[in-house]
Amino acid sequence: VDAGAYATSSEIVREALRAWVDKQERREAELAQIRALIAEGEASELLDGETVLRELEDYVEQLVAEQDAEQAA
């Protein structure tokens, strides 16, 4: 109030409350997104470690082959 940014202390409180509510709403939205991703993961097919590792190795080999092809061109 003394600095002139707000006319009354009520304006300061209202502004702080609005900022707090906005932060809470963003937090709730983020938590909802995380919960949805967790539910999606729980509903999806589970793979054993060997399968995941094999798929990862295949993917890396593909990336390396693509990079080699780009460098050869």
Side-chain angles (χ1 to χ4, degrees):
V1 175
D2 292 337
Y6 298 94
T8 66
S9 57
S10 296
E11 288 181 8
I12 296 169
V13 172
R14 281 193 297 272
E15 179 69 23
L17 184 58
R18 276 193 295 270
W20 181 80
V21 168
D22 287 345
K23 182 178 179 180
Q24 291 301 107
E25 288 174 351
R26 284 192 308 273
R27 183 177 181 270
E28 286 299 320
E30 290 170 354
L31 286 174
Q33 183 180 16
I34 290 169
R35 287 183 184 109
L37 291 170
I38 289 171
E40 180 183 333
E42 289 175 339
S44 68
E45 177 187 358
L46 296 177
L47 301 174
D48 62 270
E50 290 179 15
T51 302
V52 172
L53 184 57
R54 187 171 41 255
E55 288 179 5
L56 182 59
E57 288 172 340
D58 291 345
Y59 177 71
V60 169
E61 285 179 16
Q62 177 186 351
L63 290 177
V64 169
E66 289 173 3
Q67 185 178 14
D68 290 345
E70 287 177 7
Q71 289 177 353

